[in-house]
Coordinates of all heavy atoms in Angstrom, one line a residue:
S11 N -42.9 -27.4 -21.3 CA -43.3 -26.6 -20.1 C -42.1 -26.0 -19.4 O -42.2 -25.1 -18.6 CB -44.1 -27.4 -19.1 OG -43.3 -28.4 -18.5
K81 N -25.5 -48.3 3.4 CA -25.9 -49.1 2.4 C -27.4 -49.4 2.1 O -28.0 -49.7 3.2 CB -25.2 -50.4 2.3 CG -23.7 -50.3 2.2 CD -22.9 -51.6 2.3 CE -21.4 -51.4 2.0 NZ -20.7 -52.8 2.1
A97 N -24.3 -36.9 -7.4 CA -23.6 -36.0 -8.5 C -24.1 -34.6 -8.1 O -23.3 -33.6 -8.1 CB -24.2 -36.4 -9.8
A102 N -22.8 -29.3 -5.8 CA -23.0 -28.3 -4.8 C -21.7 -28.1 -3.9 O -21.5 -27.0 -3.6 CB -24.3 -28.8 -3.9
I130 N 1.7 3.7 -4.3 CA 1.5 4.9 -5.1 C 1.5 6.2 -4.4 O 2.2 7.1 -4.9 CB 0.3 4.6 -6.2 CG1 0.5 3.5 -7.0 CG2 0.1 5.9 -6.9 CD1 -0.7 3.2 -7.8
D136 N 7.0 10.9 -2.1 CA 8.5 10.9 -2.3 C 8.7 11.9 -3.5 O 9.7 12.7 -3.5 CB 8.8 9.6 -2.5 CG 8.9 8.7 -1.4 OD1 8.7 9.2 -0.3 OD2 8.9 7.5 -1.6
E172 N 39.6 23.5 14.7 CA 39.1 22.7 13.6 C 37.7 23.2 13.1 O 37.1 22.9 12.1 CB 38.8 21.3 14.1 CG 40.1 20.5 14.4 CD 39.9 19.1 15.0 OE1 38.5 18.8 14.9 OE2 40.8 18.4 15.3
L196 N 31.5 19.4 21.3 CA 31.5 19.9 22.5 C 30.7 19.0 23.7 O 30.1 18.1 23.1 CB 30.6 21.3 22.5 CG 31.2 22.5 21.8 CD1 30.1 23.5 21.6 CD2 32.4 22.9 22.5
L218 N 24.6 26.8 15.7 CA 25.3 25.9 14.7 C 25.4 24.5 15.3 O 25.7 24.1 16.5 CB 26.5 26.3 14.4 CG 26.5 27.9 13.9 CD1 28.0 28.2 13.5 CD2 25.8 28.0 12.7
K224 N 25.1 21.4 6.3 CA 24.5 21.7 5.0 C 24.3 23.2 5.0 O 24.3 24.0 5.9 CB 23.2 21.0 5.0 CG 22.2 21.5 5.9 CD 20.9 20.6 5.8 CE 19.8 21.1 6.8 NZ 18.6 20.5 6.7
E232 N 21.1 43.8 8.9 CA 21.4 45.0 8.1 C 22.5 45.7 8.7 O 22.6 45.9 10.0 CB 20.1 45.8 8.1 CG 20.2 47.0 7.2 CD 20.2 46.8 5.7 OE1 19.3 45.9 5.4 OE2 20.8 47.5 4.9

Side-chain angles (χ1 to χ4, degrees):
S11 67
K81 295 183 179 181
I130 290 175
D136 291 342
E172 296 179 4
L196 289 174
L218 303 181
K224 60 182 180 181
E232 185 79 36

